[in-house]
Amino acid sequence: MKIKVAKSAGFCFGVDRAVQTVCRLLDEGMQVCTLGPIIHNPQTLSRFEQRGVKIVNSPAEVPEGATLVVRSHGVSGDTLDEIAKRGIECCNATCPFVQKIQNIVAYASNEGKTVLVAGDAEHPEIKGIIGHCSGRCLVFKNADELREIIDRETVRPEEPVCVVSQTTFSVNEWENCLEIIKRVYTNAAVFDTICNATAIRQSEAAELSRQCDAMIIIGGKQSSNTAKLFELCKKNCAAYLVESADELPLPALSRAGCIGITAGASTPASIIKEVLDTMSEINQGAGPKENNTEGSFEEMLEESLKSLNTDEKVHGVVVGVTPSEVLVDVGRKQAGYIPASELSADPNVKPEDLVKIGDELDLLIMRTNDQEGTIMLSKKRLDATKGWEKIDAAEEDQSVLDGVVTEIIKGGLIAVTNGVRVFIPASQATASRTDPIEALLKKEVKFRIIEVNRSRKRAVGSIRSVLKDERKAQADKFWETAEVGKEYNGVVKSLTSYGAFVDLGGIDGMIHISELSWSRIKHPSEVVNVGDNVTVYIKGLDQEKGKISLGYKKPEDNPWEILKNEYPVGSVAEVKVVGMTTFGAFAQVIPGIDGLIHISQIADHRIEKPQDVLKINDMVKVKITDIDFDKHRVSLSIRALLEPEEESEKPAEPAGDETAE
């Protein structure tokens, strides 16, 4: 007899997480209640009952002082509110995939969309999802029920809808429903919320059932995902749903040449082991071991289920990534998982950004549960152990380390390097005490280790030490090549009432306010701001005092040079009236230069005041009659342009009669 076991048989991470939560609370001596059965497996429930776990149907039933565990199926928002209102100590073990669906439907409902849910309306997961909808929510368990909703015109085709599915919904049925939805609803937002582990489990079971004469599906009779595995398998071969080894149909199985075994997501490893042991006995009784084309089943079983000791290092392969955990295959039958908190010393990192399926990792075993067949692993602690060797060496030789700032805390910040958290005081975090440290969050930084407490595994670092050395090296390089007139690209570092300080790269120079603009300004902020990239040139150097005077205005931008080149005396320009006096009007010739139109040059006749003819912002044509470049004065005339026109309008005098002489 050949026996094939599905790779994904047994606990999914969500169920495992919920069971582990209950086990942890019991180990800590807590009185535990679960809101509904924590798992759809009678053996596990019986064992928990023996340890004092009480199943309650509502928060009102929770005894005083007990801790309530919300199972992986999740509950409604109203139930969570009631738990909080009653002040009940609660551990929410809702599967992250289920929480994602709850968030999706809550958001869609608030937007006024109708929510369509593919799933079993009586299943606790679906009841919890419905409880997060503030508007209309309709449930269908298959394509036929979806068609009934459409036929009744419950939801109009043009109506905006949100479509999600139960995490354990049949993949094939979901695809059938999607075809209908896409054809009927033109404004549908569809979210594929079938759990990845469920999809893989169903795919494996379907493929395995096509290769075997019989399939054994292990799981509770109330388990939705186990029932779907059974439905999938029985389409391809004889299939048997059992809750324990006692229910195995031994006579029928003994006649099968190839038997496949899978298990629902709520089936403990201990029950799978029990079934495998029984199947091994059947296999031994059927004939010589050589008939086992899959190898020695006893040896494989012993290897896959052997105990692992805490603090043992293992090498594993990532087989699944979720927002809260990473699932790892460590070459054993136990389900290995790394909680997000044990993945990295950086609390901000997301598991999906750090690892991917197929990655190989060295890990440390934190806790084993042979009864449930799970192993809790840590990457963070193994990384930290290796990282401390580098921290010790860096303190001794004062070498520079690279790290990422993960937290801003009271008195400083935390930077992570090689898996080790290093505290950097605020006084050592920036080049200047006035610089804000908040800007460093999530940034890569370089620092030295200035203090190590080996017994407490604590290290203190300094970014300022590295910045000080870097700026000194940059300053030395600057003075080697600096010369008057040389241009530099810099960053405006700070502003004062008298100028702007510019970081030239390791050293600062100052642009005096008079050098910022050809026009008169009251404050440097009228031209530049802190953080601006500017091109400057050196006007003066004093290395002894470390002072650098910078120029910002360019000679070619000098408005008097522009005036000389483009508006010589005698040229005509259109100007804007910008000011009035008793003796005339001032007009802007070009930005930065105003000229005077004397009252005698405003009109071709006598006027009492400039306002008789002109007003502010008038655009008029003038003739430039004089420019004094030394005193920066320009004389303008409107009259000079009027007089020639009037002379040209006078009739020509008749010519004399020469013959009359």
Side-chain angles (χ1 to χ4, degrees):
M1 180 193 302
K2 184 188 293 186
I3 299 173
K4 294 183 178 182
V5 182
K7 293 180 181 179
S8 301
F11 275 177
C12 68
F13 80 94
V15 171
D16 180 55
R17 179 167 167 263
V19 170
Q20 288 293 342
T21 298
V22 174
C23 290
R24 175 176 58 80
L25 293 172
L26 291 173
D27 292 342
E28 293 173 357
M30 302 289 188
Q31 182 184 357
V32 180
C33 293
T34 63
L35 195 53
I38 194 68
I39 184 175
H40 284 153
N41 179 265
Q43 292 85 352
T44 302
L45 294 178
S46 175
R47 188 169 65 254
F48 279 160
E49 184 181 6
Q50 292 172 7
R51 295 189 65 184
V53 176
K54 180 181 179 181
I55 299 174
V56 298
N57 296 314
S58 71
E61 298 177 18
V62 179
E64 186 176 350
T67 299
L68 180 65
V69 178
V70 175
R71 56 188 174 176
S72 60
H73 298 134
V75 294
S76 68
D78 289 342
T79 301
L80 293 175
D81 291 341
E82 184 182 354
I83 293 171
K85 185 177 180 181
R86 290 179 177 272
I88 299 171
E89 187 71 27
C90 177
C91 285
N92 192 343
T94 302
C95 171
F97 286 137
V98 176
Q99 286 183 326
K100 176 183 176 182
I101 303 173
Q102 293 173 349
N103 293 336
I104 289 172
V105 300
Y107 183 80
S109 292
N110 290 336
E111 287 192 324
K113 293 182 179 179
T114 295
V115 176
L116 299 178
V117 185
D120 180 358
E122 297 304 314
H123 193 278
E125 178 186 320
I126 296 299
K127 290 181 178 179
I129 291 171
I130 295 172
H132 285 266
C133 292
S134 57
R136 186 165 56 156
C137 181
L138 302 173
V139 181
F140 57 93
K141 66 181 179 182
N142 51 39
D144 290 337
E145 289 194 1
L146 175 61
R147 291 189 186 95
E148 289 179 11
I149 292 174
I150 296 170
D151 292 342
R152 292 197 305 267
E153 295 185 353
T154 306
V155 185
R156 299 187 306 276
E158 71 279 3
E159 189 174 337
V161 297
C162 171
V163 188
V164 298
S165 72
Q166 188 174 335
T167 55
T168 56
F169 197 67
S170 166
V171 175
N172 291 335
E173 194 63 38
W174 173 247
E175 292 173 353
N176 294 336
C177 293
L178 281 188
E179 289 183 9
I180 299 171
I181 289 168
K182 291 177 181 178
R183 187 173 64 250
V184 175
Y185 296 112
T186 58
N187 195 12
V190 179
F191 297 88
D192 186 355
T193 53
I194 296 176
C195 172
N196 185 51
T198 297
I200 293 173
R201 193 187 305 267
Q202 291 180 7
S203 176
E204 284 183 359
E207 179 61 29
L208 190 57
S209 65
R210 285 190 283 267
Q211 301 172 10
C212 298
D213 301 316
M215 282 291 295
I216 299 172
I217 300 91
I218 312 169
K221 297 292 197 300
Q222 303 301 316
S223 169
S224 172
N225 72 88
T226 303
K228 289 181 175 62
L229 292 176
F230 176 66
E231 292 298 323
L232 277 172
C233 293
K234 74 178 185 180
K235 294 178 182 178
N236 301 314
C237 67
Y240 305 94
L241 175 58
V242 300
E243 289 189 345
S244 66
D246 295 338
E247 298 180 6
L248 286 170
L250 300 182
L253 294 176
S254 63
R255 295 190 295 270
C258 181
I259 298 175
I261 298 176
T262 188
S266 54
T267 305
S270 56
I271 296 179
I272 299 174
K273 180 180 183 301
E274 179 188 343
V275 171
L276 291 175
D277 284 339
T278 303
M279 293 302 299
S280 180
E281 293 171 3
I282 296 173
N283 207 31
Q284 288 176 346
K289 288 185 180 180
E290 287 73 22
N291 292 337
N292 247 345
T293 57
E294 294 296 302
S296 172
F297 193 76
E298 283 185 354
E299 293 175 6
M300 180 181 71
L301 191 62
E302 182 180 354
E303 172 64 21
S304 65
L305 294 175
K306 75 175 185 178
S307 296
L308 296 173
N309 297 320
T310 301
D311 294 332
E312 180 185 345
K313 295 178 183 177
V314 292
H315 187 77
V317 179
V318 176
V319 296
V321 180
T322 76
S324 60
E325 294 170 320
V326 174
L327 308 181
V328 183
D329 180 1
V330 292
R332 308 292 195 273
K333 191 62 184 178
Q334 288 96 331
Y337 69 96
I338 313 169
S341 60
E342 291 294 331
L343 190 61
S344 170
D346 183 354
N348 302 308
V349 74
K350 297 179 180 178
E352 61 266 28
D353 295 335
L354 199 61
V355 296
K356 61 182 183 300
I357 292 176
D359 283 355
E360 297 186 15
L361 305 174
D362 288 321
L363 303 163
L364 192 68
I365 297 175
M366 297 298 297
R367 185 170 66 240
T368 61
N369 189 325
D370 290 331
Q371 193 172 30
E372 298 297 343
T374 58
I375 317 166
M376 189 176 87
L377 306 163
S378 174
K379 179 178 182 294
K380 176 179 73 174
R381 303 191 188 215
L382 191 58
D383 289 345
T385 301
K386 297 176 181 177
W388 269 104
E389 298 174 2
K390 296 182 180 180
I391 292 290
D392 286 336
E395 190 214 8
E396 290 181 9
D397 59 22
Q398 283 297 285
S399 57
V400 177
L401 297 174
D402 294 316
V404 176
V405 176
T406 59
E407 296 176 72
I408 304 296
I409 62 175
K410 184 178 181 180
L413 54 83
I414 298 294
V416 174
T417 178
N418 299 304
V420 177
R421 290 161 57 88
V422 177
F423 172 65
I424 300 176
S427 61
Q428 296 293 327
T430 56
S432 171
R433 290 179 182 270
T434 58
D435 294 339
I437 66 173
E438 288 75 17
L440 295 176
L441 185 61
K442 298 184 180 179
K443 298 289 181 62
E444 292 187 4
V445 293
K446 295 180 181 294
F447 54 89
R448 286 191 178 91
I449 301 299
I450 58 177
E451 183 183 334
V452 172
N453 186 325
R454 289 171 177 80
S455 62
R456 301 181 67 183
K457 292 292 184 183
R458 292 186 179 179
V460 180
S462 172
I463 297 173
R464 173 177 286 187
S465 170
V466 178
L467 293 177
K468 183 178 178 181
D469 288 351
E470 289 179 349
R471 288 187 69 83
K472 185 178 183 305
Q474 292 172 340
D476 291 343
K477 185 176 180 180
F478 173 85
W479 286 113
E480 289 175 4
T481 59
E483 58 184 26
V484 174
K486 189 172 182 179
E487 281 195 351
Y488 289 87
N489 290 318
V491 178
V492 178
K493 187 177 180 181
S494 62
L495 301 178
T496 67
S497 60
Y498 53 84
F501 286 89
V502 178
D503 183 355
L504 302 175
I507 196 164
D508 295 343
M510 189 192 79
I511 312 171
H512 192 270
I513 189 170
S514 62
E515 287 295 327
L516 282 168
S517 174
W518 289 103
S519 304
R520 181 173 295 180
I521 59 173
K522 294 181 179 180
H523 193 271
S525 59
E526 296 178 40
V527 179
V528 294
N529 292 302
V530 173
D532 284 355
N533 291 298
V534 294
T535 300
V536 295
Y537 60 92
I538 296 177
K539 286 181 65 75
L541 291 168
D542 188 337
Q543 188 168 354
E544 290 184 5
K545 295 182 179 180
K547 292 185 177 180
I548 305 165
S549 298
L550 302 174
Y552 183 70
K553 298 185 300 187
K554 293 179 174 58
E556 59 268 26
D557 294 334
N558 187 341
W560 291 99
E561 289 297 321
I562 297 173
L563 187 73
K564 181 186 291 185
N565 296 329
E566 299 182 14
Y567 297 92
V569 173
S571 59
V572 176
E574 187 172 32
V575 299
K576 180 180 180 181
V577 177
V578 294
M580 298 284 190
T581 69
T582 57
F583 54 83
F586 286 98
Q588 184 187 76
V589 182
I590 60 175
I593 296 180
D594 295 342
L596 173 66
I597 313 172
H598 193 270
I599 191 170
S600 64
Q601 298 299 314
I602 292 177
D604 58 353
H605 56 277
R606 181 179 176 82
I607 61 175
E608 294 296 326
K609 56 185 183 296
Q611 290 87 341
D612 293 341
V613 177
L614 301 174
K615 60 180 183 295
I616 299 295
N617 293 328
D618 274 357
M619 299 297 296
V620 294
K621 283 189 177 181
V622 298
K623 183 176 182 178
I624 299 175
T625 57
D626 186 48
I627 301 175
D628 187 333
F629 288 100
D630 293 332
K631 295 182 179 180
H632 286 185
R633 292 178 180 174
V634 180
S635 298
L636 307 174
S637 175
I638 298 174
R639 182 176 180 176
L641 297 178
L642 297 175
E643 290 177 343
E645 293 177 4
E646 292 175 354
E647 290 178 1
S648 64
E649 291 174 0
K650 294 179 181 178
E653 295 182 2
D657 188 352
E658 295 180 356
T659 57
E661 296 180 357

